[in-house]
Amino acid sequence: MAENVKTARKALDLSQESLALEADIDRTYVSGIERGRRNPSLTMIAKLAERLKTTPAALLTPPES
């Protein structure tokens, strides 16, 4: 999920801070998710997916190598 969030965020040209503001969460939480150190709830995954213009399933699907 970490890589998917980071890739989707960068595709929209959003900073971690911008995403955090839009999702009403702390920037360090976004950083933790992108580094794989935080495990967001399903509610948070849905919120992030909406802000990133994707689906929760897309965020949770392992990226292809």
Side-chain angles (χ1 to χ4, degrees):
M1 183 180 151
E3 188 175 329
N4 292 341
V5 170
K6 187 173 187 175
T7 300
R9 178 180 61 77
K10 287 186 172 194
L12 293 173
D13 199 30
L14 289 173
S15 66
Q16 287 181 345
E17 187 172 359
S18 296
L19 176 58
L21 286 171
E22 288 184 25
D24 195 30
I25 57 176
D26 193 83
R27 186 211 50 86
T28 59
Y29 190 71
V30 173
S31 174
I33 291 170
E34 289 186 359
R35 290 182 293 123
R37 303 221 186 270
R38 301 296 298 251
N39 294 312
S41 67
L42 187 53
T43 302
M44 180 56 63
I45 293 168
K47 193 178 210 183
L48 287 170
E50 182 180 332
R51 298 318 187 270
L52 293 169
K53 299 180 181 11
T54 189
T55 64
L59 292 181
L60 294 169
T61 302
E64 298 198 18
S65 300

CSV table of all heavy atoms in Angstrom, one decimal:
chain,number,residue,atom,x,y,z
A,1,MET,N,0.8,-1.2,0.0
A,1,MET,CA,0.0,0.0,0.0
A,1,MET,C,0.9,1.3,0.0
A,1,MET,O,0.5,2.3,-0.6
A,1,MET,CB,-0.9,0.0,1.2
A,1,MET,CG,-1.8,1.2,1.2
A,1,MET,SD,-2.9,1.2,2.6
A,1,MET,CE,-3.1,2.9,2.7
A,2,ALA,N,2.0,1.2,0.7
A,2,ALA,CA,2.8,2.4,0.8
A,2,ALA,C,3.2,2.9,-0.6
A,2,ALA,O,3.1,4.1,-0.8
A,2,ALA,CB,4.1,2.0,1.6
A,3,GLU,N,3.7,2.0,-1.4
A,3,GLU,CA,4.1,2.5,-2.8
A,3,GLU,C,2.9,3.0,-3.6
A,3,GLU,O,3.1,4.0,-4.3
A,3,GLU,CB,4.8,1.3,-3.5
A,3,GLU,CG,5.4,1.7,-4.8
A,3,GLU,CD,6.2,0.5,-5.4
A,3,GLU,OE1,6.7,-0.3,-4.7
A,3,GLU,OE2,6.2,0.5,-6.7
A,4,ASN,N,1.8,2.4,-3.4
A,4,ASN,CA,0.6,2.8,-4.2
A,4,ASN,C,0.2,4.2,-3.8
A,4,ASN,O,-0.2,5.0,-4.6
A,4,ASN,CB,-0.5,1.8,-4.0
A,4,ASN,CG,-0.3,0.5,-4.7
A,4,ASN,OD1,0.6,0.4,-5.5
A,4,ASN,ND2,-1.0,-0.5,-4.3
A,5,VAL,N,0.2,4.5,-2.5
A,5,VAL,CA,-0.2,5.8,-2.0
A,5,VAL,C,0.8,6.9,-2.6
A,5,VAL,O,0.4,7.9,-3.1
A,5,VAL,CB,-0.3,5.9,-0.5
A,5,VAL,CG1,-0.4,7.3,0.0
A,5,VAL,CG2,-1.4,5.0,0.0
A,6,LYS,N,2.1,6.6,-2.4
A,6,LYS,CA,3.1,7.5,-2.9
A,6,LYS,C,3.0,7.8,-4.4
A,6,LYS,O,3.0,8.9,-4.9
A,6,LYS,CB,4.5,7.0,-2.5
A,6,LYS,CG,5.6,8.0,-2.8
A,6,LYS,CD,6.9,7.4,-2.3
A,6,LYS,CE,8.0,8.4,-2.4
A,6,LYS,NZ,9.2,8.0,-1.8
A,7,THR,N,2.8,6.7,-5.2
A,7,THR,CA,2.7,6.8,-6.6
A,7,THR,C,1.5,7.6,-7.0
A,7,THR,O,1.5,8.5,-7.9
A,7,THR,CB,2.6,5.4,-7.3
A,7,THR,OG1,3.8,4.7,-6.9
A,7,THR,CG2,2.5,5.5,-8.8
A,8,ALA,N,0.3,7.4,-6.4
A,8,ALA,CA,-0.9,8.1,-6.7
A,8,ALA,C,-0.8,9.6,-6.3
A,8,ALA,O,-1.2,10.4,-7.0
A,8,ALA,CB,-2.1,7.4,-6.0
A,9,ARG,N,-0.1,9.8,-5.2
A,9,ARG,CA,0.0,11.2,-4.7
A,9,ARG,C,0.9,12.0,-5.7
A,9,ARG,O,0.6,13.1,-6.1
A,9,ARG,CB,0.7,11.2,-3.3
A,9,ARG,CG,1.0,12.6,-2.8
A,9,ARG,CD,1.6,12.6,-1.4
A,9,ARG,NE,2.9,11.9,-1.4
A,9,ARG,CZ,4.0,12.4,-1.8
A,9,ARG,NH1,4.1,13.6,-2.3
A,9,ARG,NH2,5.1,11.7,-1.6
A,10,LYS,N,2.0,11.4,-6.1
A,10,LYS,CA,2.9,12.0,-7.1
A,10,LYS,C,2.3,12.2,-8.4
A,10,LYS,O,2.5,13.2,-9.1
A,10,LYS,CB,4.2,11.3,-7.2
A,10,LYS,CG,5.1,11.4,-5.9
A,10,LYS,CD,6.4,10.8,-6.1
A,10,LYS,CE,7.3,11.1,-4.9
A,10,LYS,NZ,8.7,10.8,-5.1
A,11,ALA,N,1.4,11.3,-8.9
A,11,ALA,CA,0.8,11.4,-10.1
A,11,ALA,C,-0.2,12.6,-10.2
A,11,ALA,O,-0.4,13.2,-11.2
A,11,ALA,CB,0.0,10.1,-10.4
A,12,LEU,N,-0.7,13.0,-9.0
A,12,LEU,CA,-1.5,14.2,-8.9
A,12,LEU,C,-0.7,15.4,-8.6
A,12,LEU,O,-1.3,16.5,-8.4
A,12,LEU,CB,-2.6,13.9,-7.9
A,12,LEU,CG,-3.7,12.9,-8.2
A,12,LEU,CD1,-4.6,12.6,-7.0
A,12,LEU,CD2,-4.5,13.2,-9.4
A,13,ASP,N,0.6,15.2,-8.5
A,13,ASP,CA,1.5,16.4,-8.2
A,13,ASP,C,1.1,17.0,-6.8
A,13,ASP,O,1.1,18.2,-6.7
A,13,ASP,CB,1.5,17.4,-9.3
A,13,ASP,CG,2.7,18.3,-9.2
A,13,ASP,OD1,3.8,17.9,-8.7
A,13,ASP,OD2,2.6,19.5,-9.6
A,14,LEU,N,0.8,16.1,-5.8
A,14,LEU,CA,0.5,16.6,-4.5
A,14,LEU,C,1.7,16.4,-3.6
A,14,LEU,O,2.4,15.3,-3.7
A,14,LEU,CB,-0.7,15.8,-3.9
A,14,LEU,CG,-2.1,16.1,-4.5
A,14,LEU,CD1,-3.1,15.1,-3.9
A,14,LEU,CD2,-2.5,17.5,-4.2
A,15,SER,N,1.9,17.3,-2.7
A,15,SER,CA,2.9,17.0,-1.6
A,15,SER,C,2.3,16.2,-0.5
A,15,SER,O,1.0,16.1,-0.5
A,15,SER,CB,3.4,18.4,-1.1
A,15,SER,OG,2.4,19.0,-0.4
A,16,GLN,N,3.1,15.7,0.4
A,16,GLN,CA,2.5,15.0,1.5
A,16,GLN,C,1.6,16.0,2.3
A,16,GLN,O,0.6,15.6,2.8
A,16,GLN,CB,3.6,14.4,2.4
A,16,GLN,CG,4.3,13.2,1.8
A,16,GLN,CD,5.4,12.6,2.7
A,16,GLN,OE1,5.8,13.3,3.7
A,16,GLN,NE2,5.8,11.4,2.4
A,17,GLU,N,2.1,17.2,2.5
A,17,GLU,CA,1.4,18.2,3.2
A,17,GLU,C,0.0,18.5,2.6
A,17,GLU,O,-1.0,18.6,3.3
A,17,GLU,CB,2.2,19.4,3.4
A,17,GLU,CG,1.6,20.4,4.3
A,17,GLU,CD,2.5,21.6,4.6
A,17,GLU,OE1,3.6,21.7,4.1
A,17,GLU,OE2,2.1,22.5,5.3
A,18,SER,N,0.0,18.6,1.3
A,18,SER,CA,-1.3,18.9,0.6
A,18,SER,C,-2.2,17.8,0.8
A,18,SER,O,-3.4,18.0,1.0
A,18,SER,CB,-1.0,19.1,-0.9
A,18,SER,OG,-0.2,20.3,-1.1
A,19,LEU,N,-1.8,16.6,0.6
A,19,LEU,CA,-2.6,15.4,0.8
A,19,LEU,C,-3.2,15.4,2.2
A,19,LEU,O,-4.3,15.1,2.5
A,19,LEU,CB,-1.9,14.1,0.4
A,19,LEU,CG,-2.7,12.8,0.7
A,19,LEU,CD1,-4.0,12.8,-0.1
A,19,LEU,CD2,-1.8,11.6,0.3
A,20,ALA,N,-2.3,15.6,3.2
A,20,ALA,CA,-2.7,15.6,4.6
A,20,ALA,C,-3.8,16.6,4.9
A,20,ALA,O,-4.8,16.3,5.5
A,20,ALA,CB,-1.5,15.8,5.5
A,21,LEU,N,-3.6,17.8,4.3
A,21,LEU,CA,-4.6,18.9,4.5
A,21,LEU,C,-5.9,18.5,3.9
A,21,LEU,O,-7.0,18.7,4.5
A,21,LEU,CB,-4.1,20.2,3.9
A,21,LEU,CG,-3.0,20.9,4.7
A,21,LEU,CD1,-2.5,22.1,3.9
A,21,LEU,CD2,-3.5,21.4,6.0
A,22,GLU,N,-5.9,17.9,2.7
A,22,GLU,CA,-7.1,17.5,2.0
A,22,GLU,C,-7.8,16.4,2.8
A,22,GLU,O,-9.1,16.3,2.8
A,22,GLU,CB,-6.9,17.1,0.6
A,22,GLU,CG,-6.5,18.3,-0.3
A,22,GLU,CD,-6.3,17.9,-1.8
A,22,GLU,OE1,-6.9,16.8,-2.2
A,22,GLU,OE2,-5.6,18.6,-2.5
A,23,ALA,N,-7.0,15.5,3.3
A,23,ALA,CA,-7.6,14.3,4.1
A,23,ALA,C,-7.8,14.6,5.5
A,23,ALA,O,-8.3,13.7,6.3
A,23,ALA,CB,-6.7,13.1,3.9
A,24,ASP,N,-7.5,15.8,6.0
A,24,ASP,CA,-7.7,16.2,7.4
A,24,ASP,C,-6.9,15.3,8.3
A,24,ASP,O,-7.5,14.8,9.3
A,24,ASP,CB,-9.1,16.3,7.7
A,24,ASP,CG,-9.4,17.1,9.0
A,24,ASP,OD1,-8.6,18.0,9.3
A,24,ASP,OD2,-10.4,16.8,9.7
A,25,ILE,N,-5.6,15.0,8.0
A,25,ILE,CA,-4.8,14.2,8.8
A,25,ILE,C,-3.4,14.9,8.9
A,25,ILE,O,-3.1,15.9,8.2
A,25,ILE,CB,-4.6,12.8,8.3
A,25,ILE,CG1,-4.0,12.8,6.9
A,25,ILE,CG2,-5.9,12.0,8.4
A,25,ILE,CD1,-3.8,11.4,6.3
A,26,ASP,N,-2.6,14.5,9.8
A,26,ASP,CA,-1.2,15.0,10.0
A,26,ASP,C,-0.3,14.6,8.9
A,26,ASP,O,-0.4,13.4,8.4
A,26,ASP,CB,-0.7,14.6,11.3
A,26,ASP,CG,0.5,15.4,11.7
A,26,ASP,OD1,0.4,16.5,12.3
A,26,ASP,OD2,1.7,14.9,11.5
A,27,ARG,N,0.6,15.5,8.4
A,27,ARG,CA,1.5,15.1,7.4
A,27,ARG,C,2.4,14.0,7.8
A,27,ARG,O,2.8,13.1,6.9
A,27,ARG,CB,2.4,16.4,7.0
A,27,ARG,CG,3.3,16.1,5.8
A,27,ARG,CD,4.6,16.8,5.8
A,27,ARG,NE,5.4,16.7,7.0
A,27,ARG,CZ,6.3,15.7,7.3
A,27,ARG,NH1,6.4,14.7,6.5
A,27,ARG,NH2,6.9,15.7,8.4
A,28,THR,N,2.8,13.9,9.0
A,28,THR,CA,3.7,12.8,9.5
A,28,THR,C,2.9,11.4,9.4
A,28,THR,O,3.6,10.4,9.2
A,28,THR,CB,4.2,13.0,10.9
A,28,THR,OG1,3.1,13.1,11.8
A,28,THR,CG2,5.0,14.2,11.0
A,29,TYR,N,1.6,11.5,9.4
A,29,TYR,CA,0.8,10.2,9.3
A,29,TYR,C,0.9,9.8,7.8
A,29,TYR,O,1.1,8.6,7.5
A,29,TYR,CB,-0.6,10.5,9.7
A,29,TYR,CG,-1.4,9.2,9.7
A,29,TYR,CD1,-1.2,8.3,10.8
A,29,TYR,CD2,-2.4,8.9,8.8
A,29,TYR,CE1,-2.0,7.1,10.8
A,29,TYR,CE2,-3.2,7.8,8.9
A,29,TYR,CZ,-3.0,6.9,9.9
A,29,TYR,OH,-3.7,5.7,10.0
A,30,VAL,N,0.8,10.7,6.9
A,30,VAL,CA,1.0,10.4,5.4
A,30,VAL,C,2.4,9.8,5.2
A,30,VAL,O,2.5,8.8,4.5
A,30,VAL,CB,0.7,11.6,4.5
A,30,VAL,CG1,1.1,11.3,3.1
A,30,VAL,CG2,-0.7,12.1,4.7
A,31,SER,N,3.4,10.4,5.8
A,31,SER,CA,4.8,10.0,5.6
A,31,SER,C,4.9,8.5,6.2
A,31,SER,O,5.5,7.7,5.5
A,31,SER,CB,5.7,10.9,6.4
A,31,SER,OG,7.0,10.4,6.4
A,32,GLY,N,4.3,8.3,7.3
A,32,GLY,CA,4.3,7.0,7.9
A,32,GLY,C,3.7,5.9,7.0
A,32,GLY,O,4.2,4.8,6.9
A,33,ILE,N,2.6,6.3,6.4
A,33,ILE,CA,1.9,5.3,5.5
A,33,ILE,C,2.8,5.0,4.3
A,33,ILE,O,3.0,3.9,3.9
A,33,ILE,CB,0.5,5.9,5.0
A,33,ILE,CG1,-0.4,6.0,6.2
A,33,ILE,CG2,0.0,5.1,3.9
A,33,ILE,CD1,-1.7,6.8,5.9
A,34,GLU,N,3.4,6.1,3.7
A,34,GLU,CA,4.2,5.9,2.6
A,34,GLU,C,5.5,5.1,2.9
A,34,GLU,O,6.1,4.5,2.0
A,34,GLU,CB,4.5,7.2,1.9
A,34,GLU,CG,3.4,7.9,1.3
A,34,GLU,CD,3.7,9.2,0.5
A,34,GLU,OE1,4.9,9.6,0.5
A,34,GLU,OE2,2.8,9.8,-0.1
A,35,ARG,N,5.9,5.1,4.1
A,35,ARG,CA,7.1,4.4,4.5
A,35,ARG,C,6.8,3.0,5.0
A,35,ARG,O,7.7,2.2,5.3
A,35,ARG,CB,7.9,5.1,5.5
A,35,ARG,CG,8.6,6.4,4.9
A,35,ARG,CD,9.4,7.1,6.0
A,35,ARG,NE,8.6,7.7,7.0
A,35,ARG,CZ,8.7,7.5,8.3
A,35,ARG,NH1,9.7,6.7,8.8
A,35,ARG,NH2,7.9,8.1,9.2
A,36,GLY,N,5.5,2.7,5.1
A,36,GLY,CA,5.0,1.4,5.5
A,36,GLY,C,5.1,1.2,7.0
A,36,GLY,O,5.1,0.1,7.5
A,37,ARG,N,5.2,2.3,7.7
A,37,ARG,CA,5.3,2.3,9.2
A,37,ARG,C,4.0,2.4,9.9
A,37,ARG,O,3.9,2.2,11.1
A,37,ARG,CB,6.3,3.3,9.7
A,37,ARG,CG,7.7,3.2,9.1
A,37,ARG,CD,8.7,3.5,10.1
A,37,ARG,NE,10.0,3.5,9.5
A,37,ARG,CZ,10.8,2.5,9.4
A,37,ARG,NH1,10.4,1.3,9.7
A,37,ARG,NH2,12.0,2.6,8.8
A,38,ARG,N,3.0,2.9,9.2
A,38,ARG,CA,1.6,3.1,9.7
A,38,ARG,C,0.6,2.2,9.0
A,38,ARG,O,0.8,2.0,7.8
A,38,ARG,CB,1.2,4.6,9.6
A,38,ARG,CG,2.0,5.6,10.2
A,38,ARG,CD,2.1,5.5,11.7
A,38,ARG,NE,0.9,5.7,12.4
A,38,ARG,CZ,0.5,6.7,13.1
A,38,ARG,NH1,1.4,7.7,13.2
A,38,ARG,NH2,-0.6,6.8,13.7
A,39,ASN,N,-0.3,1.7,9.7
A,39,ASN,CA,-1.3,0.8,9.2
A,39,ASN,C,-2.7,1.6,9.3
A,39,ASN,O,-3.3,1.5,10.3
A,39,ASN,CB,-1.4,-0.5,9.9
A,39,ASN,CG,-0.1,-1.3,9.7
A,39,ASN,OD1,0.3,-1.4,8.5
A,39,ASN,ND2,0.4,-1.8,10.7
A,40,PRO,N,-3.1,2.2,8.2
A,40,PRO,CA,-4.3,3.0,8.3
A,40,PRO,C,-5.6,2.1,8.4
A,40,PRO,O,-5.6,1.0,7.9
A,40,PRO,CB,-4.3,3.8,7.0
A,40,PRO,CG,-3.5,3.1,6.1
A,40,PRO,CD,-2.5,2.4,6.9
A,41,SER,N,-6.6,2.6,9.0
A,41,SER,CA,-7.9,1.9,9.1
A,41,SER,C,-8.5,1.8,7.7
A,41,SER,O,-8.1,2.6,6.8
A,41,SER,CB,-8.8,2.6,10.1
A,41,SER,OG,-9.2,3.8,9.6
A,42,LEU,N,-9.5,1.0,7.5
A,42,LEU,CA,-10.2,0.9,6.3
A,42,LEU,C,-10.9,2.3,6.0
A,42,LEU,O,-10.9,2.7,4.8
A,42,LEU,CB,-11.3,-0.2,6.3
A,42,LEU,CG,-12.0,-0.5,5.0
A,42,LEU,CD1,-11.0,-0.7,3.9
A,42,LEU,CD2,-12.9,-1.7,5.2
A,43,THR,N,-11.4,2.9,7.0
A,43,THR,CA,-12.0,4.3,6.8
A,43,THR,C,-11.0,5.2,6.3
A,43,THR,O,-11.3,6.0,5.3
A,43,THR,CB,-12.6,4.8,8.1
A,43,THR,OG1,-13.6,3.8,8.6
A,43,THR,CG2,-13.2,6.1,8.0
A,44,MET,N,-9.8,5.2,6.8
A,44,MET,CA,-8.7,6.1,6.3
A,44,MET,C,-8.3,5.7,4.9
A,44,MET,O,-8.0,6.6,4.1
A,44,MET,CB,-7.5,6.0,7.3
A,44,MET,CG,-6.4,7.0,6.9
A,44,MET,SD,-6.8,8.7,6.7
A,44,MET,CE,-7.3,9.1,8.3
A,45,ILE,N,-8.2,4.5,4.6
A,45,ILE,CA,-7.9,4.0,3.2
A,45,ILE,C,-8.9,4.6,2.2
A,45,ILE,O,-8.5,5.1,1.2
A,45,ILE,CB,-7.8,2.5,3.2
A,45,ILE,CG1,-6.6,2.0,4.0
A,45,ILE,CG2,-7.6,2.0,1.7
A,45,ILE,CD1,-6.5,0.5,4.2
A,46,ALA,N,-10.2,4.5,2.6
A,46,ALA,CA,-11.2,5.0,1.7
A,46,ALA,C,-11.1,6.5,1.6
A,46,ALA,O,-11.3,7.1,0.5
A,46,ALA,CB,-12.6,4.6,2.3
A,47,LYS,N,-10.8,7.2,2.6
A,47,LYS,CA,-10.6,8.7,2.6
A,47,LYS,C,-9.4,9.1,1.7
A,47,LYS,O,-9.5,10.0,0.9
A,47,LYS,CB,-10.4,9.2,4.0
A,47,LYS,CG,-10.5,10.6,4.2
A,47,LYS,CD,-10.3,10.9,5.7
A,47,LYS,CE,-11.0,12.2,6.2
A,47,LYS,NZ,-10.8,12.5,7.6
A,48,LEU,N,-8.3,8.3,1.9
A,48,LEU,CA,-7.1,8.6,1.0
A,48,LEU,C,-7.4,8.3,-0.4
A,48,LEU,O,-7.1,9.1,-1.3
A,48,LEU,CB,-5.9,7.8,1.5
A,48,LEU,CG,-5.3,8.2,2.8
A,48,LEU,CD1,-4.3,7.2,3.3
A,48,LEU,CD2,-4.6,9.6,2.7
A,49,ALA,N,-8.1,7.2,-0.7
A,49,ALA,CA,-8.4,6.8,-2.1
A,49,ALA,C,-9.3,7.9,-2.7
A,49,ALA,O,-9.0,8.3,-3.9
A,49,ALA,CB,-9.2,5.5,-2.1
A,50,GLU,N,-10.2,8.4,-2.0
A,50,GLU,CA,-11.1,9.5,-2.6
A,50,GLU,C,-10.2,10.7,-2.9
A,50,GLU,O,-10.4,11.3,-4.0
A,50,GLU,CB,-12.2,9.9,-1.5
A,50,GLU,CG,-13.1,11.0,-2.0
A,50,GLU,CD,-14.2,11.3,-1.0
A,50,GLU,OE1,-14.5,10.5,-0.2
A,50,GLU,OE2,-14.6,12.5,-1.1
A,51,ARG,N,-9.3,11.1,-2.0
A,51,ARG,CA,-8.5,12.3,-2.2
A,51,ARG,C,-7.5,12.1,-3.4
A,51,ARG,O,-7.1,13.0,-4.1
A,51,ARG,CB,-7.7,12.7,-1.0
A,51,ARG,CG,-8.5,13.1,0.2
A,51,ARG,CD,-9.7,14.0,-0.1
A,51,ARG,NE,-10.4,14.5,1.1
A,51,ARG,CZ,-11.4,14.0,1.7
A,51,ARG,NH1,-11.9,12.8,1.3
A,51,ARG,NH2,-12.0,14.6,2.7
A,52,LEU,N,-7.1,10.8,-3.6
A,52,LEU,CA,-6.1,10.5,-4.6
A,52,LEU,C,-6.8,10.0,-5.9
A,52,LEU,O,-6.1,9.6,-6.8
A,52,LEU,CB,-5.2,9.3,-4.1
A,52,LEU,CG,-4.3,9.7,-2.9
A,52,LEU,CD1,-3.6,8.5,-2.3
A,52,LEU,CD2,-3.3,10.7,-3.4
A,53,LYS,N,-8.1,10.2,-6.0
A,53,LYS,CA,-8.9,9.9,-7.2
A,53,LYS,C,-8.7,8.4,-7.7
A,53,LYS,O,-8.4,8.2,-8.8
A,53,LYS,CB,-8.6,10.9,-8.3
A,53,LYS,CG,-9.0,12.3,-7.9
A,53,LYS,CD,-8.6,13.3,-9.0
A,53,LYS,CE,-8.9,14.7,-8.7
A,53,LYS,NZ,-9.3,15.2,-7.5
A,54,THR,N,-8.7,7.5,-6.7
A,54,THR,CA,-8.6,6.1,-7.0
A,54,THR,C,-9.5,5.3,-6.1
A,54,THR,O,-10.4,5.9,-5.5
A,54,THR,CB,-7.1,5.7,-6.8
A,54,THR,OG1,-6.9,4.3,-7.3
A,54,THR,CG2,-6.6,5.8,-5.4
A,55,THR,N,-9.4,4.0,-6.0
A,55,THR,CA,-10.2,3.2,-5.2
A,55,THR,C,-9.4,2.6,-4.1
A,55,THR,O,-8.2,2.4,-4.2
A,55,THR,CB,-10.8,2.0,-6.0
A,55,THR,OG1,-9.8,1.2,-6.5
A,55,THR,CG2,-11.6,2.6,-7.2
A,56,PRO,N,-10.1,2.2,-3.0
A,56,PRO,CA,-9.4,1.5,-1.9
A,56,PRO,C,-8.7,0.2,-2.4
A,56,PRO,O,-7.6,-0.1,-2.0
A,56,PRO,CB,-10.5,1.2,-0.9
A,56,PRO,CG,-11.5,2.3,-1.1
A,56,PRO,CD,-11.5,2.5,-2.6
A,57,ALA,N,-9.4,-0.5,-3.3
A,57,ALA,CA,-8.8,-1.7,-3.9
A,57,ALA,C,-7.5,-1.4,-4.6
A,57,ALA,O,-6.5,-2.2,-4.5
A,57,ALA,CB,-9.8,-2.4,-4.8
A,58,ALA,N,-7.5,-0.3,-5.3
A,58,ALA,CA,-6.2,0.0,-6.1
A,58,ALA,C,-5.1,0.3,-5.1
A,58,ALA,O,-3.9,0.0,-5.4
A,58,ALA,CB,-6.5,1.2,-7.0
A,59,LEU,N,-5.4,1.0,-4.0
A,59,LEU,CA,-4.4,1.2,-3.0
A,59,LEU,C,-3.9,0.0,-2.3
A,59,LEU,O,-2.7,-0.1,-1.9
A,59,LEU,CB,-4.9,2.2,-1.9
A,59,LEU,CG,-5.2,3.7,-2.4
A,59,LEU,CD1,-5.6,4.5,-1.3
A,59,LEU,CD2,-3.9,4.3,-3.1
A,60,LEU,N,-4.8,-1.0,-2.2
A,60,LEU,CA,-4.4,-2.2,-1.4
A,60,LEU,C,-3.8,-3.3,-2.3
A,60,LEU,O,-3.3,-4.3,-1.8
A,60,LEU,CB,-5.6,-2.8,-0.7
A,60,LEU,CG,-6.1,-1.9,0.4
A,60,LEU,CD1,-7.5,-2.3,0.9
A,60,LEU,CD2,-5.1,-1.8,1.6
A,61,THR,N,-3.9,-3.2,-3.6
A,61,THR,CA,-3.4,-4.2,-4.5
A,61,THR,C,-1.9,-4.0,-4.6
A,61,THR,O,-1.4,-2.9,-4.9
A,61,THR,CB,-4.0,-4.0,-5.9
A,61,THR,OG1,-5.4,-4.1,-5.8
A,61,THR,CG2,-3.5,-5.1,-6.9
A,62,PRO,N,-1.1,-5.1,-4.4
A,62,PRO,CA,0.3,-5.0,-4.5
A,62,PRO,C,0.8,-4.6,-5.9
A,62,PRO,O,0.2,-5.1,-6.9
A,62,PRO,CB,0.8,-6.5,-4.2
A,62,PRO,CG,-0.3,-7.1,-3.5
A,62,PRO,CD,-1.6,-6.5,-4.0
A,63,PRO,N,1.7,-3.7,-6.0
A,63,PRO,CA,2.2,-3.2,-7.3
A,63,PRO,C,3.0,-4.3,-8.0
A,63,PRO,O,3.6,-5.2,-7.3
A,63,PRO,CB,3.1,-2.0,-6.9
A,63,PRO,CG,3.5,-2.2,-5.5
A,63,PRO,CD,2.4,-3.0,-4.8
A,64,GLU,N,2.9,-4.3,-9.3
A,64,GLU,CA,3.6,-5.3,-10.1
A,64,GLU,C,5.0,-4.9,-10.2
A,64,GLU,O,5.3,-3.7,-10.4
A,64,GLU,CB,2.9,-5.4,-11.4
A,64,GLU,CG,1.5,-5.9,-11.3
A,64,GLU,CD,0.9,-6.5,-12.6
A,64,GLU,OE1,1.7,-6.8,-13.5
A,64,GLU,OE2,-0.3,-6.6,-12.7
A,65,SER,N,5.9,-5.9,-10.1
A,65,SER,CA,7.3,-5.6,-10.2
A,65,SER,C,7.8,-5.3,-11.6
A,65,SER,O,7.4,-5.8,-12.5
A,65,SER,CB,8.1,-6.8,-9.6
A,65,SER,OG,7.7,-7.0,-8.3
